[in-house]
Amino acid sequence: MTAQNISRFWEWGRKIICVGRNYADHAKELKNAIPTEPILFLKPPSAYVREGSPILVPVYTSNLHHEVELGVVIGKGGTAIPQSAAMEHVAGYALCLDMTARDIQDECKSKGLPWTLAKAFNTSCPVSEFIPKESIPDPGNVKLWLKVNDRLRQSGCTSQMIFSIPYLISYISDFITLEAGDLILTGTPKGVSAVQEHDELQAGIEDVVTMSFRVDRPEQ
Ligand SMILES: O=C([O-])CC(=O)C(=O)O
Ligand SMILES: [Mg+2]
C-alpha cells in the first residue's frame, strides 16, 4: 500500500465524529437545551463530497438544512488523550457542512430514534481542501460563514463553542479511539436554514478558505 497523504483525509475511509449543539445560539434556535456534556453522532466516510460534485437531496426529505462547521483532522491516534496533549493529535482542519434532513431529525427526536437517516446519507458531509494546522494558529477563534445564493445565512465564531477543541478531543477519545484520518465536526452556529435543488452554497473560514457546492436531486 502506498503511504496515505493526510491532505486527502477523505480518502482514508476513517470516522467522521460530529458534535451537536456546541453553540448556544444554535441550540436555542432549534429550541433545544444547552448540553452539559458533548452530544455525539457519526457519519460514514461515504458521506464525503468534494467541490465539483453536488450535494444530493435525499428523496425522503423536504427540509434539507445546511450547517457550517469547523472540522478537525486527526493526525495521530490515541485513547484517553488528556486535554493538555490534545492539540498534538491534530494534523489540520477542513471547512465542513453537516447537511441535515431536519424533518427526519425532528421525527427521530420525537420517537426517540437515532438520527442516522437525518445526518449520515450520501453527500451529507461536504468538505473543503485540507487546511494545515499552521494556517489556523488559534482554532478557538476563527470566523465561519455560509451564503445561499449570495445571501448570508450563517456567520459565527469558534470562540462561541460551548466545548473547546481540546476538550472535545479528550472527551471523545475516552470512549472512541481516535485514528489518523478521523474528522471531528465541531458543531454549527445559528442561522441553519433549508436549501433547494439548484441552490449555490458558498462557505468560508475568514482569511483561510472558501468553498462552493451546488445542490441537486439524485437521478431517479
Ligand atoms: O442537528 C443539530 O442541531 C445538531 C448539530 O449537528 C449541530 O449543532 O451542529
Ligand atoms: Mg451539526
Side-chain angles (χ1 to χ4, degrees):
M1 198 170 99
T2 53
Q4 287 179 303
N5 179 349
I6 196 78
S7 71
R8 298 183 69 81
F9 64 90
W10 54 85
E11 291 178 348
W12 289 39
R14 292 280 160 82
K15 300 180 289 299
I16 306 172
I17 303 163
C18 307
V19 181
R21 301 180 198 158
N22 201 21
Y23 290 74
D25 57 2
H26 169 65
K28 279 186 201 145
E29 75 179 341
L30 294 187
K31 301 190 170 43
N32 289 309
I34 310 293
T36 51
E37 283 204 341
I39 295 171
L40 304 179
F41 58 94
L42 294 166
K43 292 182 192 269
S46 47
Y48 281 125
V49 59
R50 300 269 306 131
E51 273 185 290
S53 296
I55 297 167
L56 298 174
V57 184
V59 291
Y60 52 77
T61 182
S62 50
N63 194 17
L64 180 63
H65 275 198
H66 55 77
E67 296 189 354
V68 69
E69 311 200 2
L70 179 66
V72 178
V73 180
I74 299 299
K76 187 176 76 168
T79 305
I81 299 166
Q83 269 194 74
S84 56
M87 294 311 289
E88 295 164 26
H89 293 259
V90 174
Y93 305 93
L95 183 61
C96 306
L97 303 183
D98 169 17
M99 297 307 296
T100 303
R102 195 70 70 198
D103 45 356
I104 307 302
Q105 187 192 34
D106 288 345
E107 202 180 313
C108 294
K109 278 189 206 165
S110 70
K111 292 182 178 165
L113 294 173
W115 296 355
T116 308
L117 289 186
K119 290 284 196 181
F121 52 87
N122 292 343
T123 77
S124 61
C125 192
V127 287
S128 73
E129 65 198 53
F130 175 76
I131 302 162
K133 194 177 183 178
E134 306 69 50
S135 302
I136 302 187
D138 184 3
N141 191 16
V142 290
K143 293 194 174 116
L144 310 175
W145 57 268
L146 179 136
K147 292 177 183 177
V148 180
N149 302 328
D150 273 335
R151 286 235 173 119
L152 188 65
R153 294 280 184 86
Q154 287 191 269
S155 142
C157 182
T158 56
S159 61
Q160 301 163 316
M161 283 185 194
I162 297 170
F163 303 107
S164 70
I165 291 169
Y167 185 90
L168 291 172
I169 291 172
S170 175
Y171 180 88
I172 292 167
S173 72
D174 277 345
F175 310 109
I176 302 172
T177 294
L178 290 172
E179 299 162 281
D182 284 351
L183 176 71
I184 301 173
L185 265 60
T186 55
T188 197
K190 73 166 191 263
V192 301
S193 69
V195 299
Q196 320 288 343
E197 188 181 358
H198 304 319
D199 280 350
E200 295 285 346
L201 272 53
Q202 225 197 342
I205 299 174
E206 198 177 68
D207 302 327
V208 179
V209 77
T210 59
M211 64 179 187
S212 46
F213 285 88
R214 185 183 162 80
V215 179
D216 234 327
R217 284 261 165 207
E219 281 173 32
Q220 299 277 334

